[in-house]
Amino acid sequence: MAIVDYTATELLERMDSRELTSREITAAYLAQIERYHGEVNALVRWDAEDAMRTAEAIDARREGGEPVGVLAGVPVVVKDNLCTSDHVTSCASKMLANYLSPYDATVIKRLKAADAVILGKGNMDEFAMGASTETSAFGPTHNPWKLGYIPGGSSGGSAAAVASAMAPLSLGSDTGGSIRQPSAHCGVVGLKPTYGRVSRYGLIAFGSSLDCIGPMGRTAEDVARVMSVLAGRDPRDATSIAGPVPRYEESCREPLDGVRLGVIDEQFGEGIDDEVADKVQTAIRQFEALGATVHHISLPHIRYAIAAYYIIAPSEASSNLARFDGAHYGYRAKDISNDEKDGPLVAMYRKTRQEGFGEEVKRRIMLGTYSLSAGYYDAYYLRALKIRRLIAQDFADAYKTVDFLIGPVTPTPAFEIGEKMEDPLAMYLGDSYTVGANLAGLPALSLPCGLTTAGLPVAVQLQGPALSEEGLLQLACAFQQESDWHLSRPELIKPKDQNG
Amino acid sequence: MTLSEADVRKVAALARINLSDEDALRLTTQLGDVLRYIEQLAEVDIEGVDPMAHAIEQVNVLADDTVEPSQPRDVMLGNAPRRDEECYRVPPVLGD
Amino acid sequence: MNDLTPYTTIIGLEVHVQLSTRSKLFCRCENRYGAEPNTLTCPVCAGLPGALPVMNRKAYELSVRAALGLHCEIPLFTKWDRKNYFYADLPKGFQTSQFDLPLSQHGYLDISDPKGKFSDKRIGIIRAHLEEDAGKSLHDEVARKADSRIDLNRCGTPLLEIVSEPDLRSPEEAGRYLSELKLLLEYLEVSDCNMQEGSLRVDANINLHLRVDGEFKATPIVEVKNMNSFRAVQRALAYEASRQYDQWQESGRCLGDPGVTKETRGWDDDAGVSRSQRSKEESSDYRYFPEPDLPPVVITEAEVATHRLALGELPAALRTRLVQEYQLPEVDVDVLVNQGRALVEYFLLLAGAINDGKIASNWIQQDVMRYLSEAGVTIDDYPVTADQLGDLIANVLAKKLSTSRGREVLAQMVSAGETLEAAMQSLGIVEVDSAATEQLCRELLEANPKVVADIKEGKIKAVGALVGQAKQQNPNVQPQEVRDLCLRLAGEM
Ligand SMILES: [Mg+2]
Ligand SMILES: [Zn+2]
């Protein structure tokens, strides 16, 4: 087996037993990046020298018998909206193309403290606004399973990097499905934690009350390992949750016992692709075979989730992105006309934001500005916040009778690049099954469960009550022990010469 | 409620974004579509429901009043598009 | 409306005070005035991508304390909101403030004028809420085309915004409201209220109510800004009232007429005029919404009660007590209390030491306060303690020193930093025993038979000449003693 075929857990075991060094591992993944970058465009930047230096230093420490962190020597790709102090953090936007953060995001600090090797920055939809990684200022990411198709988004680069074996692990962020949907489209495991379980400090904000950082990997166990490193209260994030953090990688191997799964009836109705529905139903039967009982659950307000989400998220975004105005950092437009009636400063703001932001970002800023503006606040924003509570209440009611919910992640498999670029609403509807968890702040996991006849991955979504990440990972782990979808690899990266 | 191009221009002014005529036209259609979809929220009975502004509702997360070192000025000014030794520089607030 | 003006002036004030915390509201940068530009900033207060605010507990507690001092209700639930607008000194593109659920509301501040220019009055407080300050734009005044320079040090400084009801009816009332508010906040130790350093800033809303042919009219509301002293506030309001009246007579435009919006005017104190500031068409659309990064704060009735107990004695109550306990005139009490808590404590010590409030008050107002104002220092830096001054006054009361001699001794103690004894010695003050005084009086009576004759005829005043001569011969004699003695001895002659 090649180095890049091992899971993170296997890599850690082999480094522990001195079969492999982080140097060898890091070099293997860097080679993979070099080889497939042109076709996949999963990363917006990486620093091979820096990664190799880090790997060697960790090897030396391990060699010298010094204590090392729980991810010591394992390469990780991080989404480009996570601030890193040593390289540019751009959010895949022209606005921040040269921006150097003076500090590391808390999750980056935690990865570094765990001795992970940060390889580079994952491509993404600009400012995480999108479901296809097509809105990146650095060009779209291609789905490793089928290069003409989108990898999903907004964490498309992080998902594609794992799927194309450019890294065993990655971090994404999920505001309306941005970890789970690309994980589903790229056939990897992605976990959106409970809101606040992982600090947002240093995550460039999109929708602050919805944003979550989470891990992506090939197996639930790998994802669990990263989750143990990321989770926990951060004094710099007032919305982060206090309380003990489990050793997820240990608890996820516990056998399932009397789990009650709720199938959300509303999610198998109109709009779902037959093949997706079929694969998800098969997965549900597999869980039954593992001893779970299946129950039908209705979430009466979930059909309003997209509408509520596309008020709340853009509203918060319109405020969060106001800071990108060319004054203190980032892009500033040149040749400011001095004759505008509002004066040169305002002229600078307007031109900077016109040129620095892409179409989708401007669309959402406009939508959010409108929803919050005088005369519309009550009808849009305030109403959406009330419906948000009704949706959260639906989930709370459901979890009185079942332990977890199960259903599809997306209505359809990945679509072709360019297909929905001119129809924002069609793109937004792709988030139908994922936004509920963000509105309610609850954890959810995307688990690969099949391939379509066209060879595109399909995934099942597991959702749970607040702080039920352990249970979600346990379910996913049990499923993966009885199936091998997670072992299949895109044709693109299968060794061709040897088996030819 | 239909969205007019004038509405779009007003919102763009609030959001400090220049729009070309073409942008304004396209956004009027696209945002209009989204807003029409969002209209369905009007049918939900929200009587007596409290707004939910935070996903996980905590209270009283406060910090102690202790001083920590600030960032060095050169680091903070390091990303400025225009600066001098001490300050960020921006076009004047008012023209002449 | 009175005989002098055909209108009533309606004034409401918005006061922003910086709270005396060690660190800023949402980050742990030092909260300090006067540092080099941009040396007190971090990712949080400079609004860098990814940074998040965490509320300073002390800032919230000081706000509650101030609000209780203003008799406000403290709702048990409060939250923060984002007020969105673009400005170069506002790096996040929004100010974190409070919109619909402020931490306090419905309070009042009583004002009175002991000189009687207006009658006692209760000024309503609509609300007091906690928000963050913005940075500073340093505009190049010489070349308007040049860049503005931005200093973000002040960003994130905790501000309490105190909004009064439009209950003030004259510039004088506004001035008194401000000085009373400042005094209260100083007593509460929530702010240093230093206007020069911008830790207290005032915006005024003003318009006029008129009655024309029995019909009520109101002029458009104007917000006046850029007033850098309480005196400037009063001047600006007086100017604005007459300007509005002139304009109303000219245009007849009233509040609520089509096209009438709230105008913002800047006060130019040097020129003594207000000038209209460019009004932005969408300026009032701040798109407030709940701050998603800050959890709300809840407080219990018991916690509010604890804060209330810890307020200490505040100016209004103190004035009443001093009038009652020491039988001091209201005007005097006003002067003492308005000097601040430290001076009142000095007064209380001194009054206790000499067991006389009136005399203590006189000495403080005539001697101590004159020195403080001439030297430009506070009572904390006054070199003579209340005990030392008490000893000095005791000597005067015991007629060992004349009042004027006593003043000289105090001046010596202050200027040379000497003890009472040392100061008396420096001035050559020794006690003259009664035998020596009697000897001196006899000599003077014998040398001035005309005076003796006058006294015997009942012209008591004539004795003054002898007192003067006695002081010339020995400055340490007690004038009163000399006077009494001369009268007695002359009677015996
Ligand atoms: Mg304010
Ligand atoms: Zn700071």
Side-chain angles (χ1 to χ4, degrees):
Chain A
M1 208 150 89
I3 286 176
V4 299
D5 288 327
Y6 289 124
T7 65
T9 303
E10 289 164 347
L11 291 172
L12 282 165
E13 285 164 5
R14 276 156 185 77
M15 282 188 280
D16 263 350
S17 64
R18 306 293 191 272
E19 280 172 65
L20 285 173
T21 62
S22 176
R23 190 181 197 290
E24 291 164 333
I25 293 167
T26 305
Y29 282 106
L30 285 168
Q32 193 81 356
I33 293 170
E34 297 290 349
R35 184 162 173 201
Y36 295 109
H37 173 67
E39 285 161 296
V40 181
N41 196 31
L43 271 61
V44 290
R45 72 192 70 79
W46 66 95
D47 184 339
E49 272 178 44
D50 194 34
M52 290 304 287
R53 246 193 325 271
T54 309
E56 281 162 16
I58 292 164
D59 284 337
R61 278 170 45 210
R62 204 191 303 260
E63 207 52 46
E66 285 177 54
V68 290
V70 298
L71 292 176
V74 180
V76 183
V77 161
V78 299
K79 192 174 179 178
D80 199 31
N81 57 356
L82 297 169
C83 288
T84 48
S85 58
D86 29 22
H87 297 98
V88 163
T89 302
S90 76
C91 252
S93 178
K94 179 178 175 184
M95 193 61 100
L96 291 175
N98 301 307
Y99 177 70
L100 283 168
S101 170
Y103 72 97
D104 277 330
T106 297
V107 290
I108 300 296
K109 275 192 189 155
R110 284 172 175 254
L111 283 182
K112 286 181 176 174
D115 289 321
V117 177
I118 295 172
L119 283 183
K121 293 302 209 41
N123 200 5
M124 55 186 282
D125 282 298
E126 185 186 4
F127 282 103
M129 295 177 187
S132 63
T133 315
E134 291 169 288
T135 71
S136 167
F138 305 104
T141 295
H142 295 250
N143 192 319
W145 291 87
K146 230 174 168 184
L147 290 173
Y149 284 68
I150 58 117
S154 62
S155 312
S158 299
V162 173
S164 57
M166 294 177 180
L169 297 169
S170 64
L171 296 193
S173 70
D174 191 315
T175 306
S178 283
I179 289 174
R180 290 160 288 160
Q181 187 256 22
S183 294
H185 287 337
C186 290
V188 303
V189 178
L191 173 64
K192 172 228 172 289
T194 307
Y195 181 86
R197 177 89 273 204
V198 175
S199 167
R200 291 183 294 122
Y201 192 81
L203 165 68
I204 300 181
F206 162 17
S208 309
S209 79
L210 306 157
D211 294 341
C212 294
I213 299 168
M216 298 153 95
R218 283 171 63 208
T219 66
E221 189 180 359
D222 280 6
V223 164
R225 274 180 203 284
V226 185
M227 193 55 198
S228 296
V229 169
L230 302 183
R233 164 154 161 78
D234 177 8
R236 290 183 181 278
D237 176 0
T239 64
S240 68
I241 296 173
V245 174
R247 307 265 357 136
Y248 296 104
E249 67 275 22
E250 285 165 21
S251 53
C252 76
R253 293 195 188 188
E254 307 266 317
L256 292 184
D257 187 25
V259 174
R260 298 168 300 170
L261 294 180
V263 176
I264 307 167
D265 284 339
E266 287 87 351
Q267 296 188 341
F268 286 96
E270 199 188 330
I272 191 164
D273 175 273
D274 288 344
E275 272 194 289
V276 170
D278 183 52
K279 302 283 173 206
V280 173
Q281 294 291 7
T282 306
I284 293 171
R285 283 194 294 277
Q286 282 170 293
F287 276 107
E288 275 185 300
L290 287 167
T293 54
V294 172
H295 310 263
H296 288 272
I297 286 292
S298 171
L299 302 176
H301 298 93
I302 200 76
R303 54 189 286 235
Y304 301 107
I306 288 284
Y309 174 84
Y310 275 96
I311 291 173
I312 294 168
S315 293
E316 292 181 1
S318 71
S319 172
N320 285 328
L321 272 64
R323 71 189 66 200
F324 304 108
D325 60 10
H328 308 101
Y329 47 80
Y331 177 76
R332 181 187 290 186
K334 317 231 166 356
D335 307 320
I336 309 299
S337 77
N338 207 22
D339 49 51
E340 251 198 69
K341 67 174 164 45
D342 296 311
L345 180 67
V346 173
M348 186 276 277
Y349 289 158
R350 288 183 167 157
K351 194 162 185 236
T352 295
R353 291 163 66 78
Q354 176 185 31
E355 296 172 358
F357 290 137
E359 293 307 311
E360 181 61 21
V361 171
K362 284 188 273 193
R363 205 144 46 217
R364 298 209 194 180
I365 290 174
M366 296 280 291
L367 186 56
T369 304
Y370 180 78
S371 309
L372 291 174
S373 64
Y376 299 103
Y377 181 87
D378 285 4
Y380 288 105
Y381 186 76
L382 191 60
R383 175 167 282 268
L385 288 192
K386 291 178 177 179
I387 290 167
R388 178 181 195 175
R389 186 173 298 281
L390 293 173
I391 291 168
Q393 193 58 52
D394 283 355
F395 278 106
D397 290 343
Y399 292 128
K400 285 175 191 157
T401 56
V402 297
D403 301 309
F404 300 97
L405 295 173
I406 191 164
V409 180
T410 60
T412 66
F415 47 86
E416 279 182 78
I417 289 176
E419 197 181 316
K420 295 187 182 174
M421 278 304 267
E422 290 310 312
D423 189 356
L425 182 58
M427 185 85 90
Y428 298 170
L429 293 173
D431 296 338
S432 292
Y433 307 148
T434 49
V435 293
N438 298 84
L439 290 169
L442 304 178
L445 181 145
S446 175
L447 176 67
C449 68
L451 288 172
T452 63
T453 45
L456 287 165
V458 175
V460 62
Q461 179 171 226
L462 298 166
Q463 304 192 66
L467 298 177
S468 68
E469 287 87 352
E470 269 187 295
L472 293 174
L473 289 163
Q474 199 187 339
L475 276 169
C477 203
F479 184 88
Q480 291 190 322
Q481 276 160 22
E482 299 300 321
S483 61
D484 51 11
W485 294 113
H486 57 291
L487 299 178
S488 56
R489 288 286 185 156
E491 283 301 325
L492 176 74
I493 62 162
K494 280 187 186 157
K496 286 145 195 123
D497 315 343
Q498 293 97 314
N499 298 346
Chain B
M1 208 166 351
T2 51
L3 189 76
S4 70
E5 195 184 320
D7 291 334
V8 167
R9 292 209 175 270
K10 212 172 109 189
V11 172
L14 263 181
R16 299 283 188 267
I17 297 175
N18 273 347
L19 293 184
S20 66
D21 291 348
E22 190 195 329
D23 290 339
L25 215 61
R26 193 182 57 249
L27 280 166
T28 306
T29 311
Q30 291 175 337
L31 295 180
D33 283 352
V34 177
L35 288 170
R36 222 166 296 119
Y37 177 80
I38 285 170
E39 289 294 311
Q40 64 176 295
L41 292 183
E43 72 199 40
V44 183
D45 179 10
I46 52 166
E47 187 65 35
V49 180
D50 281 337
M52 181 173 168
H54 294 84
I56 298 292
E57 296 175 301
Q58 309 193 65
V59 292
N60 295 3
V61 185
L62 302 158
D64 291 340
D65 182 27
T66 52
V67 173
E68 285 166 24
S70 295
Q71 287 273 352
R73 175 160 70 191
D74 268 343
V75 171
M76 292 306 292
L77 293 177
N79 281 298
R82 222 169 123 67
R83 56 171 283 194
D84 53 36
E85 291 295 295
E86 300 180 322
C87 288
Y88 304 87
R89 282 183 167 270
V90 298
V93 174
L94 295 178
D96 39 10
Chain C
M1 248 170 283
N2 57 36
D3 298 338
L4 295 174
T5 53
Y7 53 79
T8 307
T9 310
I10 310 295
I11 300 166
L13 296 179
E14 275 179 33
V15 177
H16 287 87
V17 283
Q18 291 183 350
L19 298 174
S20 303
T21 52
R22 282 192 284 268
S23 63
K24 293 185 180 181
L25 184 54
F26 298 131
C27 64
R28 305 288 75 82
C29 286
E30 191 179 358
N31 173 16
R32 173 161 61 90
Y33 176 82
E36 288 282 298
N38 293 304
T39 54
L40 295 178
T41 72
C42 73
V44 176
C45 57
L48 294 193
L52 297 171
V54 183
M55 175 76 65
N56 183 331
R57 179 182 292 108
K58 182 80 178 176
Y60 172 72
E61 288 172 352
L62 290 179
S63 303
V64 169
R65 186 172 163 79
L68 287 172
L70 289 163
H71 307 97
C72 285
E73 295 165 10
I74 309 294
L76 301 183
F77 177 96
T78 189
K79 69 172 175 84
W80 279 263
D81 303 273
R82 291 187 184 177
K83 179 180 181 180
N84 294 284
Y85 65 97
F86 288 85
Y87 204 75
D89 60 17
L90 191 72
K92 291 183 293 183
F94 59 83
Q95 179 195 32
T96 301
S97 181
Q98 300 199 274
F99 182 50
D100 55 341
L101 298 170
L103 63 84
S104 72
Q105 59 194 1
H106 306 146
Y108 62 85
L109 181 65
D110 288 331
I111 58 168
S112 62
D113 183 12
K115 296 189 187 110
K117 282 193 198 147
F118 55 84
S119 42
D120 291 4
K121 211 165 166 178
R122 175 158 291 184
I123 307 302
I125 304 290
I126 297 174
R127 59 190 279 162
H129 70 244
L130 177 59
E131 62 184 26
E132 61 180 333
D133 209 341
K136 276 185 198 161
S137 301
L138 313 164
H139 305 296
D140 197 332
E141 298 292 346
V142 186
R144 295 193 79 196
K145 277 189 174 176
D147 286 350
S148 292
R149 304 172 70 229
I150 309 297
D151 171 13
L152 299 182
N153 278 350
R154 205 178 63 180
C155 272
T157 298
L159 279 185
L160 189 69
E161 178 176 331
I162 302 161
V163 186
S164 87
E165 297 278 3
D167 288 346
L168 298 158
R169 291 290 173 273
S170 67
E172 291 72 31
E173 286 185 14
R176 182 68 192 192
Y177 167 83
L178 288 171
S179 54
E180 188 67 12
L181 179 63
K182 176 176 187 284
L183 186 68
L184 176 72
L185 298 174
E186 285 168 351
Y187 267 76
L188 289 166
E189 295 175 332
V190 299
S191 172
D192 65 16
C193 294
N194 186 328
M195 247 182 136
Q196 270 68 49
E197 296 181 358
S199 52
L200 188 153
R201 306 196 287 273
V202 184
D203 299 332
N205 285 294
I206 171 171
N207 75 338
L208 309 179
H209 287 181
L210 306 100
R211 198 159 278 282
V212 185
D213 304 329
E215 206 187 326
F216 173 81
K217 303 265 184 197
T219 59
I221 297 174
V222 167
E223 181 170 4
V224 190
K225 289 178 175 288
N226 301 343
M227 299 161 293
N228 296 320
S229 66
F230 291 171
R231 209 182 84 86
V233 172
Q234 296 193 52
R235 289 184 70 207
L237 290 172
Y239 171 88
E240 186 56 26
S242 71
R243 189 197 66 80
Q244 283 189 21
Y245 186 64
D246 291 348
Q247 191 171 55
W248 177 79
Q249 284 188 310
E250 206 175 287
S251 70
R253 266 159 64 91
C254 286
L255 186 65
D257 283 356
V260 167
T261 53
K262 185 166 153 182
E263 185 189 11
T264 301
R265 297 180 71 88
W267 173 246
D268 180 341
D269 203 45
D270 293 334
V273 296
S274 69
R275 293 196 182 90
S276 188
Q277 292 183 342
R278 175 188 288 258
S279 68
K280 297 155 248 153
E281 69 241 62
E282 77 287 355
S283 61
S284 62
D285 198 345
Y286 290 122
R287 289 160 283 133
Y288 279 100
F289 76 103
E291 168 58 271
D293 293 329
L294 288 174
V297 168
V298 299
I299 191 169
T300 62
E301 297 283 8
E303 285 164 339
V304 174
T306 307
H307 281 293
R308 192 175 278 122
L309 274 177
L311 291 181
E313 195 173 23
L314 299 179
L318 193 53
R319 287 194 191 100
T320 311
R321 180 164 77 89
L322 294 190
V323 168
Q324 284 171 355
E325 272 182 32
Y326 297 95
Q327 283 81 48
L328 293 176
E330 280 183 31
V331 179
D332 287 359
V333 165
D334 203 49
V335 170
L336 291 176
V337 171
N338 292 2
Q339 295 298 308
R341 197 191 280 279
L343 188 120
V344 171
E345 264 152 28
Y346 191 95
F347 163 79
L348 293 171
L349 282 173
L350 183 60
I354 62 173
N355 204 16
D356 191 319
K358 182 78 193 156
I359 291 171
S361 164
N362 288 345
W363 277 82
I364 287 176
Q365 293 197 44
Q366 285 169 34
D367 296 271
V368 179
M369 281 173 51
R370 177 183 303 161
Y371 172 81
L372 296 182
S373 94
E374 280 168 3
V377 296
T378 67
I379 190 70
D380 298 322
D381 299 318
Y382 189 62
V384 179
T385 66
D387 276 352
Q388 291 171 327
L389 179 55
D391 287 348
L392 169 60
I393 297 172
N395 273 288
V396 174
L397 295 177
K399 302 207 163 36
K400 291 179 186 167
L401 281 172
S402 67
T403 303
S404 61
R405 266 318 239 172
R407 288 222 160 104
E408 288 168 36
V409 173
L410 180 57
Q412 177 70 18
M413 289 167 77
V414 168
S415 64
E418 290 179 353
T419 61
L420 175 60
E421 292 70 27
M424 287 173 64
Q425 209 165 11
S426 299
L427 296 175
I429 297 175
V430 287
E431 211 176 313
V432 185
D433 68 32
S434 32
T437 307
E438 189 171 329
Q439 181 57 36
L440 178 61
C441 290
R442 285 186 193 283
E443 285 169 21
L444 289 169
L445 287 167
E446 263 159 46
N448 293 282
K450 173 84 171 67
V451 174
V452 175
D454 284 350
I455 293 169
K456 281 182 175 287
E457 277 174 37
K459 294 180 185 165
I460 305 289
K461 274 190 178 171
V463 77
L466 299 184
V467 176
Q469 286 180 41
K471 275 162 72 178
Q472 269 178 9
Q473 291 191 17
N474 185 349
N476 292 322
V477 292
Q478 284 291 318
Q480 190 66 36
E481 196 184 354
V482 170
R483 186 177 185 278
D484 293 349
L485 210 52
C486 285
L487 288 176
R488 183 166 61 81
L489 293 172
E492 288 168 5
M493 282 170 85

